[in-house]
């Protein structure tokens, strides 16, 4: 099967290059000015990425005038779709009033109150990205507990700040024992001290977490975890895992930080925290709260959050600027429980159609489909992944074929293979047909091969 997949993939890369001449030229020009020809390394792939010129609702258009169904949706940021009318109106109104005051605005308290209602935390601060939310939460936890160590999950990505660029995508050559993984730097330039200050554990393994807490008793400031892992497809928490994590953190005086940058409102109205009924000490948000603008937020326990400004630094020229907060408020107003329930229903029906089609080639290409709230993902293995290593050991070549085949037929799913699809409030059943039709075509090709 592998050689068939390799051949089909080569055909698809040829077709991609032929059909995207303007993107190819745009990429050549960009290479002269931007490393990898892109503004963020996550946007790069070989032979060149598609250059997008505009977006609307569930669609984007590229510079070669192809229209795509967007299932990537800004890595899940665009829960309300591109150019949601309410978000657009709020932005336009705020443009008239000014974009940056670097002074308090009325929007900050309103947006914080709306997040407090959903997540139960009384105090909030805003940032410009998920990276900044997590980076500040980790600093806050270290300051509050006066402890040094951060425990994180292998395969968990938490942004591109030095303290968390550890074991995000380790390879078998360096990752060490499964139950006690090595701490591996994700980038050159991350100081060795970061590795010494970080302990890595597998996801879904409360015993390994307990052992780590025992080994470093009195030294661990925080356990940083995505309640659902969403940088390795979708890895759901096993039954009771998050509750056990909560209890262990309480027992060892460790702060629990939920990184809900990916889950957030895409998991439920009150995030994965609300869905699983487990309240962290600090929650980090970004992406889905902003309707497509660069924003993040973190909220937490009163006693923890009150350290900010007293002993803990949190600055930022753009934090809580009225322009992005206008979009946040409009997004929060638009993502009602009713609106989200519709996305969840469409997502479940879409996932079940995807499963039905993939089941026809299970003997050739084993797959599992996982969903959470408005998101879904295919893992190319016979059983659902429980840890990062399960995902890493899945058939990533088959994943690449399914991604490129859909790109060539008018659907953008994320290039990273580690991401998931998002059904936004702008996606309709009808719009999703283009994905299902090309999937039917591909499974037909595989069956005949
Ligand atoms: N945390 C998680 C779980 C993420 O997936 C990401 C980005 N994909 C981040 C943090 C960083 O967010 P940003 O890209 O907005 O800095």
């Amino acid at each position: 099967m592998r050689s068939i997949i390799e051949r089909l993939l080569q055909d698809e890369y040829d077709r991609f290059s032929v059909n995207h001449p303007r993107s190819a030229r745009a990429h050549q020009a960009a290479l002269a000015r931007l490393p990898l020809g892109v503004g963020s390394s996550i946007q790069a792939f070989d032979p060149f990425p598609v250059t997008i010129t505009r977006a609307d609702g569930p669609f984007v258009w590229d510079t070669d005038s192809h229209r795509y169904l967007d299932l990537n949706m800004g890595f899940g940021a665009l829960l309300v779709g591109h150019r949601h009318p309410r978000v657009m109106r709020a932005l336009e109104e705020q443009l008239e009033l000014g974009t940056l005051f670097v002074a308090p605005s009325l929007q900050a308290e309103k947006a914080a109150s709306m997040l407090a209602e959903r997540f139960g935390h009384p105090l909030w601060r805003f940032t410009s990205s998920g990276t900044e939310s997590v980076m500040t939460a980790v600093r806050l936890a270290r300051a509050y507990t006066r402890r040094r160590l951060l425990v994180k999950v292998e395969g968990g990505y938490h942004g591109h700040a030095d303290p968390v660029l550890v074991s995000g995508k380790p390879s078998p050559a360096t990752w060490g024992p499964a139950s006690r993984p090595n701490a591996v730097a994700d980038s050159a330039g991350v100081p060795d001290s970061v590795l010494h200050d970080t302990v890595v554990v597998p996801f879904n393994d409360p015993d390994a977490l307990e052992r780590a807490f025992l080994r470093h008793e009195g030294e661990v400031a925080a356990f940083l975890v995505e309640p659902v892992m969403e940088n390795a497809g979708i890895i759901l928490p096993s039954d009771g895992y998050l509750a056990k994590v909560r209890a262990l953190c309480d027992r060892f005086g460790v702060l629990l930080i939920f990184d809900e940058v990916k889950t957030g409102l895409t998991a439920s109205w009150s995030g994965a925290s609300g869905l699983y009924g487990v309240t962290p000490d600090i929650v980090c948000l970004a992406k889905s709260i902003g309707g497509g603008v660069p924003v993040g937020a973190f909220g937490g326990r009163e006693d923890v959050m009150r350290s900010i400004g007293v002993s803990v630094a949190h600055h930022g020229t753009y934090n809580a600027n009225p322009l992005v907060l206008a979009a946040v408020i409009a997004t929060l107003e638009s993502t009602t429980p009713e609106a989200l329930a519709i996305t969840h229903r469409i997502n479940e029906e879409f996932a079940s159609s995807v499963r039905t089609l993939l089941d026809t080639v299970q003997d050739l290409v084993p797959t599992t489909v996982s969903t959470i709230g408005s998101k879904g993902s295919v893992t190319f293995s016979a059983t659902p992944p429980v840890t990062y290593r399960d995902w890493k050991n899945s058939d990533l070549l088959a994943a690449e074929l399914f991604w490129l085949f859909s790109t060539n037929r008018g659907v953008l799913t994320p290039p990273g293979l580690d991401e998931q699809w998002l059904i936004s409030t702008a996606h309709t059943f009808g719009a999703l047909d283009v994905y299902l039709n090309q999937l039917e075509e591909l499974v037909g090709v595989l069956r005949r091969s």
Side-chain angles (χ1 to χ4, degrees):
M1 199 61 210
R2 197 175 169 87
S3 64
I4 294 172
I5 289 180
E6 278 169 358
R7 182 174 50 73
L8 290 172
L9 201 47
Q10 191 49 56
D11 292 350
E12 291 304 316
Y13 275 116
D14 294 346
R15 180 176 172 143
F16 177 85
S17 296
V18 168
N19 287 341
H20 297 85
R22 284 172 192 265
S23 279
R25 277 201 297 280
H27 181 63
Q28 275 310 315
L31 277 174
R33 289 282 172 254
L34 302 154
L36 300 179
V38 292
S40 163
S41 297
I42 189 86
Q43 296 169 5
F45 62 82
D46 287 333
F48 55 84
V50 173
T51 297
I52 302 297
T53 51
R54 74 184 176 95
D56 197 33
F59 301 112
V60 295
W61 285 260
D62 73 8
T63 182
D64 289 288
S65 304
H66 302 117
R67 187 184 84 164
Y68 300 89
L69 171 72
D70 189 356
L71 285 178
N72 180 359
M73 297 308 281
F75 299 126
L78 288 148
L79 177 60
V80 294
H82 293 282
R83 303 181 70 251
H84 185 279
R86 195 167 188 159
V87 175
M88 295 297 288
R89 211 167 40 244
L91 287 170
E92 281 159 12
E93 284 169 14
Q94 192 59 45
L95 282 174
E96 292 297 318
L97 299 172
T99 58
L100 185 64
F101 306 150
V102 292
S105 68
L106 297 173
Q107 288 90 334
E109 186 274 333
K110 181 168 180 184
S113 295
M114 293 173 93
L115 291 176
E117 191 195 351
R118 290 185 185 229
F119 287 86
H121 294 297
L123 290 173
W124 291 82
R125 274 288 175 94
F126 292 95
T127 67
S128 296
S129 66
T131 295
E132 291 172 53
S133 297
V134 174
M135 177 184 85
T136 318
V138 170
R139 180 188 305 133
L140 179 58
R142 285 189 163 128
Y144 179 85
T145 58
R146 295 169 197 261
R147 294 175 178 183
R148 180 176 63 88
L149 293 179
L150 177 69
V151 179
K152 78 170 289 286
V153 166
E154 186 172 48
Y157 176 72
H158 303 285
H160 59 280
D162 282 0
V164 291
L165 276 174
V166 179
S167 296
K169 283 271 181 300
S171 67
T174 52
W175 65 21
S179 59
R180 194 177 161 177
N182 295 335
V184 181
D186 292 329
S187 169
V190 172
D192 284 350
S193 59
V194 168
L195 302 181
H196 294 137
D197 289 346
T198 310
V199 176
V200 181
V201 293
F203 191 58
N204 272 329
D205 190 343
D207 295 337
L209 185 66
E210 182 178 20
R211 284 195 301 274
F213 284 175
L214 282 169
R215 250 189 343 267
H216 302 284
E217 202 159 353
E219 288 180 296
V220 178
F223 178 46
L224 171 64
V225 62
E226 290 176 88
V228 177
M229 282 186 76
E230 292 195 1
N231 285 285
I234 289 178
I235 307 183
L236 296 168
S238 312
D239 275 353
Y241 172 66
L242 296 174
K244 284 183 192 151
V245 162
R246 177 68 275 181
L248 282 171
C249 287
D250 289 343
R251 192 175 122 208
F252 287 90
V254 171
L255 293 189
L256 177 58
I257 305 175
F258 273 179
D259 180 347
E260 291 227 40
V261 168
K262 273 294 200 61
T263 50
L265 311 189
T266 72
S268 91
W269 185 82
S270 48
S273 318
L275 187 65
Y276 290 103
V278 175
T279 308
D281 299 298
I282 306 173
V283 66
C284 300
L285 301 172
K287 293 190 168 67
S288 60
I289 63 166
V293 302
V295 68
F298 60 98
R301 260 167 52 185
E302 168 111 29
D303 55 339
V304 176
M305 290 293 285
R306 292 270 179 223
S307 309
I308 293 175
V310 181
S311 61
V312 178
H314 177 238
H315 314 300
T317 302
Y318 299 104
N319 291 354
N321 73 72
L323 187 68
V324 300
L325 289 183
V328 169
I329 291 166
T331 301
L332 291 171
E333 284 170 350
S334 305
T335 49
T336 58
E338 296 74 28
L340 293 179
I342 295 172
T343 68
H344 296 179
R345 192 165 54 78
I346 295 178
N347 188 39
E348 285 309 326
E349 288 197 25
F350 177 61
S352 108
S353 303
V354 170
R355 266 188 210 107
T356 305
L357 285 166
L358 290 173
D359 279 349
T360 63
V361 287
Q362 272 309 336
D363 50 335
L364 304 172
V365 184
T367 48
T368 53
V369 179
S370 308
T371 59
I372 172 93
S374 316
K375 286 185 166 183
S377 138
V378 180
T379 304
F380 288 78
S381 60
T383 50
V386 176
T387 64
Y388 162 73
R389 293 189 189 196
D390 294 340
W391 172 83
K392 181 77 179 163
N393 289 327
S394 67
D395 186 349
L396 296 175
L397 194 74
E400 191 177 339
L401 173 64
F402 278 71
W403 157 72
L404 190 61
F405 197 91
S406 68
T407 304
N408 280 335
R409 286 156 187 80
V411 187
L412 281 193
T413 52
L417 310 180
D418 48 5
E419 297 281 334
Q420 45 295 130
W421 73 65
L422 174 79
I423 303 300
S424 77
T425 57
H427 286 76
T428 57
F429 279 118
L432 295 168
D433 281 349
V434 53
Y435 183 85
L436 297 175
N437 291 341
Q438 63 78 35
L439 188 57
E440 193 170 3
E441 186 185 337
L442 179 53
V443 298
V445 170
L446 288 169
R447 277 246 74 90
R448 286 192 299 276
S449 300

